[in-house]
Amino acid sequence: ALGHALVSRHHRHAEEGHHLLRQHGGNNRGCLTALAEYVKEEHLAKKGTPLDMSKWSQVVAKDIPQQMNGSDCGMFTCKFAEYISRRAKFTFSQRDMPYFRKRMVYEIVKNKLLHP
């Protein structure tokens, strides 16, 4: 299975800094290659210039929190993206998802992000 494929940018411009393509679970490097090709094609189509991905890394993450149902994939993706953006260790699990759902609703309704 594919798991979650995330693209994380740490800088404003795609050509700068460290970039990361990360696949959670599995060991499908072909998926990461296909995702990288898609990003390059989209960049070329939208920006009209080739994207230099020579400084990008592709990582297959292991020993990560696992989704245990068929309905929390979006929330897991959001939490992985959040934790990666903060360079934080993954400390959440399936049992945290009800809290994270309520928290996300609160943040959207109040238009305010809570401190992690």
Side-chain angles (χ1 to χ4, degrees):
L2 166 63
H4 301 290
L6 301 175
V7 177
S8 164
R9 288 194 354 188
H10 301 298
H11 294 281
R12 185 175 178 164
H13 300 290
E15 291 79 14
E16 298 177 0
H18 176 76
H19 300 82
L20 177 68
L21 293 178
R22 181 181 299 247
Q23 178 191 0
H24 295 286
N27 196 22
N28 188 349
R29 290 220 172 259
C31 172
L32 293 178
T33 301
L35 181 59
E37 286 303 314
Y38 169 77
V39 170
K40 284 196 271 189
E41 290 170 8
E42 280 295 301
H43 188 275
L44 185 59
K46 302 288 192 278
K47 302 283 186 174
T49 59
L51 176 63
D52 176 13
M53 295 181 74
S54 62
K55 294 182 181 178
W56 289 48
S57 62
Q58 296 184 6
V59 177
V60 176
K62 301 289 184 186
D63 299 319
I64 59 169
Q66 297 295 307
Q67 177 185 340
M68 304 304 286
N69 64 26
S71 60
D72 283 326
C73 53
M75 187 55 64
F76 266 83
T77 300
C78 289
K79 298 317 291 182
F80 282 127
E82 176 200 331
Y83 277 62
I84 290 168
S85 72
R86 293 189 289 113
R87 294 186 173 96
K89 182 180 176 190
F90 298 134
T91 57
F92 60 90
S93 71
Q94 178 68 54
R95 72 177 179 275
D96 299 312
M97 294 304 119
Y99 165 74
F100 287 141
R101 284 183 182 282
K102 290 176 186 172
R103 177 182 169 142
M104 183 178 282
V105 169
Y106 177 87
E107 290 174 332
I108 291 169
V109 168
K110 297 295 185 178
N111 196 29
K112 179 181 178 183
L113 293 176
L114 298 175
H115 188 274

